[in-house]
């Protein structure tokens, strides 16, 4: 399924880091342990993994939501 | 020897061990005790999956007790405590532990749809559930030696983890320290 992005509720997140362990292809941790998430839509084969990471979040802070129309199609860094 | 009765006893002991493991892993999850061998995600998912496994053993424990029929314990006694003529108090404690477990499981399954404080409050009763279950095992009194040895070992483990839990500073407590560290790192 496409058209979904992974987001984090930054207030709920306590930096457990579970998401980065389960979805390393999309999520890395900043130096304080909080997630930096690839803003591009989740590709088909990644969907299952993304869902698993969302379900494993101990704070229910990680979410898989419908991508807004202005979501970047490619990673921001590569667009420049 | 009646195989159902043997199954009741065996699954009771196994449940004791599994619930202890689940309790300790739950504590480890809240405190973020993790290492490269036991990463956060592994502890979190094992806590969840082993708790479901222990429910299976507890289901067999309860099911064989009722089906066995040697002592009069009915299906209603599974959820309504202190109605049995056989060891009313000790069997009733088992019922209470089971009811608490049901509450913990149900609130966890619908965790996304209920207030987090409610989920957390109910989840805190796991400690009570674990303790009540241990007393139930000791009081019912079959396999005295094994139960006592196991209960002593499991109690030591859980108490150790609880003490360590309260000695570990809360995650929310370090921002003051981290803010200074963060500023220093940015410079």
């Amino acid at each position: 399924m496409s058209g979904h992005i992974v987001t984090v509720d930054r207030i709920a997140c306590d930096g457990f880091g579970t998401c980065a362990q389960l979805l390393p292809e999309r999520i890395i941790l900043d130096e304080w342990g909080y997630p930096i998430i690839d803003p591009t839509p989740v590709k088909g084969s990644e969907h299952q993994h993304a869902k698993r990471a969302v379900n494993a979040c101990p704070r229910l802070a990680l979410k898989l939501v419908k991508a807004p129309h202005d979501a970047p199609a490619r990673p921001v860094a590569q667009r420049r | 020897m009646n195989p159902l009765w043997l199954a009741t006893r065996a699954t009771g002991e196994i449940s004791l061990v599994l619930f202890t493991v689940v309790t300790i892993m739950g504590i480890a999850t809240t405190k973020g005790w993790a290492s490269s061998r036991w990463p956060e995600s592994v502890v979190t998912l094992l806590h969840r999956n082993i708790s479901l496994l222990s429910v299976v053993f507890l289901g067999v424990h309860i099911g064989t007790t009722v089906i066995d029929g040697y002592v009069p314990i009915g299906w209603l006694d599974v959820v309504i405590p202190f109605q049995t003529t056989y060891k009313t108090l000790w069997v009733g404690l088992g019922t209470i532990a089971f009811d608490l477990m049901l509450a913990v499981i149900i609130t966890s399954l619908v965790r996304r749809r209920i207030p987090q404080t409610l989920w957390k409050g109910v989840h805190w009763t796991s400690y009570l559930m674990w303790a009540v279950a241990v007393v139930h095992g000791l009081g019912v009194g079959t396999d005295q030696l094994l139960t006592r040895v196991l209960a002593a070992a499991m109690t030591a483990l859980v108490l150790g983890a609880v003490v360590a839990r309260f000695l570990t500073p809360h995650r929310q407590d370090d921002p003051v320290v981290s803010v200074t560290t963060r500023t220093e790192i940015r410079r």
Side-chain angles (χ1 to χ4, degrees), chain A residues 21-79:
Chain A
Q21 286 163 10
L22 293 178
L23 200 61
E25 58 270 58
R26 298 210 139 244
I27 302 175
I28 56 166
L29 299 180
D30 68 16
E31 51 203 296
W32 307 291
Y34 290 88
I36 301 170
I37 304 175
D38 182 344
T40 60
V42 176
K43 293 181 215 78
S45 58
E46 283 176 339
H47 206 266
Q48 195 61 35
H49 295 289
K51 224 170 174 176
R52 212 169 283 165
V54 165
N55 285 333
C57 175
R59 285 288 175 263
L60 304 186
L62 200 70
K63 294 185 171 82
L64 195 59
V65 297
K66 265 203 167 348
H69 293 299
D70 57 352
R74 280 177 294 135
V76 179
Q78 286 175 24
R79 250 194 327 184

Side-chain angles (χ1 to χ4, degrees), chain B residues 23-24 27 33 156-166:
Chain B
T23 305
I24 293 171
I27 295 172
W33 295 336
L157 286 175
V158 168
L159 282 183
V162 168
V163 168
R165 170 180 188 156
F166 289 104

